[in-house]
Amino acid sequence: MLKRISAIFQAKANRALDNLEDPREMLDLSYEKQVNMLRDVKRGIVEVTAARRRLELQAEELRSQLPKFDAQAMQALKVGREDLARVALERKSATQAQVDGFDAQVAQLKTEQDQLIVAEQRLQAKVDAFRTKKEVMKAQYTAAKATVRVGEAVTGLSEEMTDMGYAIQRAEDKTAQLKSRGSAIHELIESGVLDDSLDGSTPLDRELEALGRAANIDADLKRLRAQIITVEKPAQLEAPKEGGA
Amino acid sequence: MIVRLMGQQGQWRLDDALQAELNAIDAQLDADASAGDGGEFAAHLAAMHELIRTKGSLVGEDEFLPSDAFVPPLDISLDELRTLLSSDGLIPG
């Protein structure tokens, strides 16, 4: 396995070395190329960091949805439907586990991205060191010996940059995977907590939904009664007693 | 011998005498990957990283050397490994 991976890296480095007759020219071109790549690296890190921040916001938003399940369970208990309350709480528990897992993965991603920032600074130092080194090598240039040493130095730096590119690509992939995961949890919450829609819901969902509607109607009735009491307090308080008597 | 721990974990200088030990773990990694055994693969990969970090010394920042071997990142999955090995086009740069 190590040999196969090495072959992949070496093929890349060799492509960088092809088509160049003069090692001095190779040093300059390689340096320019790495400076450009370093710019891409910095941009890549800015992008994955921004994407990760969005994931953190998404995690917060998902967590803020969890109390909806409690409200649903409460409604069910109020009308003596412990079975439905249990269903709502089971959904809450399952969703909570998903949200916790998501949080942990986003936190892990942050750690990895912080490491990338450190690596990028190290790479910047390395590219700077290469600039000095290439001038020394050019000054000491003797054709026969130089080719091998230049080749090694160029390969070494190119390898470093390739590995950095790989690390950033992995960070991008992980970020994208987490984004899908966040969306999936969001859908889970949407389908578990029934606010407005009845589309595609199961009978239990419908019962919970009906309870929710009943609770809303009860709340409305209570509110309206309270208004009537406020407006026509004496008459309304007397009325039921008169009717009953 | 120069070995690179991929994923920006640095280049390490190792005594050539360790080659046999590294090759033995590498053979296990190949077997784990062929068998699709992610757990064993992760364990052997961790052992390889550990061996390199404890027995090797980190190459200095002002040194520019090609590596003799590349070790995948510690948390690579078997799927990712297959992608890595399937095409060199997937590593940018």
Side-chain angles (χ1 to χ4, degrees):
Chain A
M1 184 183 78
L2 297 188
K3 275 199 183 115
R4 279 187 287 164
I5 299 174
S6 301
I8 291 168
F9 268 77
Q10 277 151 11
K12 280 196 165 296
N14 287 338
R15 274 207 296 279
L17 299 180
D18 281 350
N19 313 319
L20 285 172
E21 296 291 323
D22 186 341
R24 286 171 291 189
E25 190 188 351
M26 188 194 290
L27 283 169
D28 287 334
L29 276 175
S30 172
Y31 173 71
E32 271 174 44
K33 190 179 166 198
Q34 305 308 335
V35 167
N36 285 334
M37 286 176 77
L38 192 57
R39 200 174 303 137
D40 291 344
V41 160
K42 286 174 198 277
R43 193 167 47 226
I45 289 176
V46 168
E47 279 166 13
V48 290
T49 306
R52 191 253 308 152
R53 290 217 182 93
R54 286 197 291 276
L55 286 175
E56 285 171 347
L57 290 176
Q58 195 180 8
E60 274 177 40
E61 206 259 320
L62 290 174
R63 196 166 285 288
S64 75
Q65 302 290 310
L66 289 171
K68 284 186 181 178
F69 291 101
D70 280 333
Q72 217 169 32
M74 182 68 90
Q75 278 179 7
L77 280 181
K78 274 183 187 162
V79 294
R81 292 295 305 271
E82 196 181 318
D83 57 333
L84 288 181
R86 196 170 284 280
V87 170
L89 291 177
E90 274 163 9
R91 283 177 180 169
K92 181 193 172 190
S93 168
T95 312
Q96 174 103 49
Q98 296 268 346
V99 174
D100 288 348
F102 185 68
D103 267 352
Q105 281 181 307
V106 173
Q108 167 74 20
L109 194 66
K110 180 172 186 335
T111 308
E112 287 170 16
Q113 291 186 355
D114 288 345
Q115 285 169 0
L116 275 187
I117 292 167
V118 174
E120 182 261 311
Q121 285 158 355
R122 201 173 50 76
L123 197 56
Q124 172 76 63
K126 195 132 193 171
V127 170
D128 290 344
F130 186 84
R131 184 178 56 196
T132 311
K133 187 133 187 160
K134 87 181 164 65
E135 293 310 319
V136 173
M137 289 177 96
K138 277 157 73 179
Q140 295 170 342
Y141 178 75
T142 57
K145 277 188 187 170
T147 311
V148 175
R149 288 184 49 228
V150 167
E152 280 184 358
V154 168
T155 306
L157 186 60
S158 146
E159 207 185 285
E160 196 80 44
M161 206 58 80
T162 302
D163 185 48
M164 186 78 203
Y166 176 64
I168 290 179
Q169 188 194 295
R170 292 189 85 219
E172 284 169 355
D173 290 349
K174 283 185 189 177
T175 307
Q177 278 163 16
L178 275 180
K179 197 178 161 198
S180 318
R181 173 127 195 244
S183 304
I185 298 173
H186 180 72
E187 276 178 30
L188 187 74
I189 291 177
E190 289 287 294
S191 64
V193 177
L194 295 149
D195 289 332
D196 316 308
S197 154
L198 270 174
D199 294 343
S201 50
T202 62
L204 270 176
D205 286 335
R206 277 189 219 112
E207 278 199 75
L208 280 166
E209 169 86 354
L211 272 184
R213 275 204 306 257
N216 285 341
I217 291 167
D218 287 348
D220 274 350
L221 279 174
K222 200 173 171 185
R223 182 175 53 79
L224 290 173
R225 278 201 195 101
Q227 280 176 7
I228 292 167
I229 289 167
T230 314
V231 174
E232 307 171 24
K233 198 173 176 183
Q236 274 307 47
L237 281 175
E238 295 306 315
K241 282 180 187 166
E242 280 169 19
Chain B
M1 175 170 52
I2 305 290
V3 178
R4 177 177 292 281
L5 294 181
M6 290 168 66
Q8 288 296 305
Q9 299 302 307
Q11 255 183 326
W12 299 75
R13 185 174 272 113
L14 290 179
D15 195 310
D16 286 345
L18 284 171
Q19 181 120 32
E21 211 172 331
L22 278 178
N23 283 342
I25 305 180
D26 189 35
Q28 286 172 319
L29 286 172
D30 267 332
D32 300 335
S34 305
D37 190 337
E40 280 296 298
F41 181 84
H44 285 130
L45 189 57
M48 185 175 267
H49 275 250
E50 176 74 9
L51 178 70
I52 293 164
R53 283 174 179 281
T54 51
K55 300 281 175 69
S57 58
L58 203 53
V59 171
E61 284 185 10
D62 55 347
E63 288 184 87
F64 297 91
L65 301 166
S67 304
D68 300 299
F70 296 78
V71 180
L74 208 47
D75 62 340
I76 197 170
S77 67
L78 286 182
D79 278 344
E80 269 187 283
L81 180 75
R82 270 188 284 275
T83 311
L84 177 66
L85 292 174
S86 67
S87 157
D88 64 347
L90 284 158
I91 301 180

